Amino acid sequence: MMHMRKSSILRKIRAGETAVSCKLNFSDPRGAELAAMCGFDALWIDLEHVPGGFHDVENIVRAAKNHDCDVITRVAKGCYSDYIRPLEADSAAIMVPHLMSLAEAKEIVYYTKFHPVGRRPIDGGNADGSYCLIDGNEYMKQANQERITIVQIEDPEPLDELEEIAALDGIDMLFFGPADFSQGIGTPNDFSNPMIAETRKRVAECAARHGKYAGTTGSPDNFYELKALGYHLINVTADVVVLGREYKAALEKISR
């Protein structure tokens, strides 16, 4: 029997380890392949902020899969097609930004999980269903088990319903976003605000109470601190950060 590709993120987490990702702001699949070759568990690509499209998602997924690396696609908030097309291109996870309420979380589950959890529209004829080579019912079952629905907690608004959101069947991971959260609490880009540390800890603890995973952004410098808080997926760098730093360093070495 043919099976869907299993998620590298889930394999790492289920083994008791922490998955590590790199954010890609560029849409070049060769850059994605290089990052995957270096050993990241996942590459995080972005349809919320970056002017890319679904063909870019497809090509980056193909490049990453060659090296058993997952792709997380942060979707643009919109209609259900915006949520499921990255999954059908075989992204291992979708990340929905700016979750604002329990009602919205229920709608996301409805459109991203198959029966009996939700009512995601069925089409096994794309990459995630091996172009109809996987039995339809097996495809639906495996997709619910091996594909990850992530919601971003990056605003103060959903905190009053955080327990109910975490308890919802079909929400697999809560992902804390400190940058927009700092703006939401009135101190943009001030990461020393104690509410950020408090909420980051609260999100991880809430996810754990309900048997869910927790993700966040970080760096190699605070990776172990975040891991100790209970985070299962940590994004530690980005292509723009690495390239910008190296470009500047090269020029500084030869400056006169």
Side-chain angles (χ1 to χ4, degrees):
M1 180 187 299
M2 186 165 287
H3 295 273
M4 295 181 73
R5 176 186 169 273
K6 291 186 177 295
S7 163
S8 299
I9 295 171
L10 292 178
R11 182 168 64 244
K12 202 81 176 280
I13 294 173
R14 288 165 180 169
E17 301 175 53
T18 303
V20 182
S21 68
C22 171
K23 187 173 186 291
L24 303 182
N25 274 49
F26 299 129
S27 300
D28 186 343
R30 293 190 297 173
E33 184 173 27
L34 175 59
M37 289 171 70
C38 287
F40 286 101
D41 301 301
L43 306 178
W44 165 10
I45 61 178
D46 199 343
L47 297 180
E48 180 192 13
H49 293 291
V50 177
F54 288 109
H55 285 302
D56 297 310
V57 174
E58 281 190 306
N59 288 329
I60 290 172
V61 168
R62 289 191 193 105
K65 286 197 299 187
N66 284 337
H67 303 281
D68 196 24
C69 178
D70 281 358
V71 167
I72 302 162
T73 300
R74 177 158 62 182
V75 298
K77 291 184 77 171
C79 70
Y80 77 85
S81 293
D82 293 314
Y83 297 164
I84 65 169
R85 277 187 286 181
L87 291 171
E88 291 179 348
D90 213 14
S91 295
I94 61 158
M95 180 188 293
V96 182
H98 292 287
L99 180 75
M100 289 297 186
S101 67
L102 175 62
E104 187 177 42
K106 289 179 178 178
E107 183 177 79
I108 290 165
V109 170
Y110 183 87
Y111 286 126
T112 63
K113 296 294 185 184
F114 289 120
H115 176 85
V117 183
R119 291 275 297 279
R120 173 183 162 183
I122 302 170
D123 185 342
N126 294 303
D128 65 331
S130 295
Y131 307 104
C132 290
L133 293 178
I134 301 176
D135 171 79
N137 287 328
E138 272 300 314
Y139 162 61
M140 294 167 65
K141 177 182 175 182
Q142 291 170 28
N144 280 358
Q145 293 173 343
E146 289 293 330
R147 296 298 176 261
I148 310 163
T149 297
I150 305 171
V151 292
Q152 284 197 271
I153 306 299
E154 49 184 346
D155 303 275
E157 283 86 349
L159 293 181
D160 287 344
E161 297 180 301
L162 189 62
E163 295 290 338
E164 293 88 349
I165 291 166
L168 190 62
D169 190 16
I171 297 295
D172 302 307
M173 181 181 292
L174 305 180
F175 193 101
F176 178 63
D180 271 313
F181 191 84
S182 73
Q183 180 178 212
I185 59 176
T187 55
N189 296 310
D190 178 5
F191 300 109
S192 67
N193 187 317
M195 278 190 68
I196 292 175
E198 291 165 9
T199 306
R200 178 181 271 140
K201 184 172 184 288
R202 179 181 171 187
V203 168
E205 290 176 344
C206 183
R209 272 194 298 277
H210 296 282
K212 304 300 176 66
Y213 306 128
T216 193
T217 57
S219 72
D221 295 329
N222 68 353
F223 175 82
Y224 288 101
E225 175 190 340
L226 296 173
K227 181 177 179 179
L229 285 176
Y231 278 93
H232 303 93
L233 170 68
I234 302 171
N235 190 86
V236 297
T237 193
D239 55 3
V240 291
V241 172
V242 173
L243 287 169
R245 182 175 62 227
E246 290 302 314
Y247 290 156
K248 290 174 66 177
L251 291 172
E252 286 167 3
K253 285 181 180 178
I254 60 173
S255 64
R256 286 173 168 69

